[in-house]
Amino acid sequence: MTQSRVVNPSSDSHAPIRTCIATKQRCADSQLLRVVAGHTHDGVTSVVPDPGRRMPGRGAWITPTLTAWEIAHKRRAFGRALKVSAHVDANPVKRYIEELSTDNVSSRENPGVPQNRNKENRKT
């Protein structure tokens, strides 16, 4: 006799659920930013954003807000989640989140006007 799998009928989405390292809230992975540990040429371990979710290595997930970044940085959650024993530089993630929030403010100020992320291709 085979057992059938019971599917929750109220669940209309099959998106993976991840937990934010700062807020501990569980959300769909599309609402969180994946970060991974990277190494710079001088040997410093830095945490880099992985918005495409394709970089190799162990990843951690964070709510893409400066408040969440500050909580994670204060608690040293980046190093713990990525299992890095040395001090990690999480500033690349902070810069990325600041850029995201700046883009969101610009789009709210000019609704309906698409924001061109690749400014080099703009015609002047």
Side-chain angles (χ1 to χ4, degrees), residues 84-106:
V84 177
S85 59
H87 173 73
V88 295
D89 176 20
N91 286 322
V93 175
K94 182 178 182 182
R95 286 191 295 273
Y96 181 82
I97 292 171
E98 287 172 340
E99 183 180 306
L100 279 180
S101 62
T102 302
D103 286 348
N104 288 340
V105 169
S106 297

Side-chain angles (χ1 to χ4, degrees), residues 45-86:
T45 302
S46 63
V47 182
V48 293
D50 181 18
R53 300 178 182 101
R54 297 286 184 256
M55 292 177 76
R58 182 178 186 87
W61 299 83
I62 186 167
T63 305
T65 63
L66 289 175
T67 304
W69 182 90
E70 290 168 358
I71 292 168
H73 185 69
K74 183 178 178 181
R75 292 181 183 166
R76 299 179 185 194
F78 290 107
R80 187 171 33 258
L82 297 170
K83 296 193 176 186
V84 177
S85 59

Side-chain angles (χ1 to χ4, degrees), residues 5 8-9 29 31 37 62 64 71 82 90 99 102 107 118 120:
R5 240 175 113 169
N8 185 353
D29 67 346
Q31 296 176 332
I62 186 167
I71 292 168
L82 297 170
E99 183 180 306
T102 302
S107 64
N118 189 359
E120 296 172 1

Side-chain angles (χ1 to χ4, degrees), residues 3-55:
Q3 294 179 344
S4 63
R5 240 175 113 169
V6 178
V7 178
N8 185 353
S10 64
S11 174
D12 57 358
S13 173
H14 295 289
I17 302 296
R18 303 288 184 243
T19 302
C20 173
I21 62 171
T23 64
K24 304 297 183 197
Q25 291 182 335
R26 293 171 44 113
C27 302
D29 67 346
S30 61
Q31 296 176 332
L32 299 173
L33 174 65
R34 182 177 188 261
V35 296
V36 296
H39 298 283
T40 60
H41 62 280
D42 56 356
V44 175
T45 302
S46 63
V47 182
V48 293
D50 181 18
R53 300 178 182 101
R54 297 286 184 256
M55 292 177 76

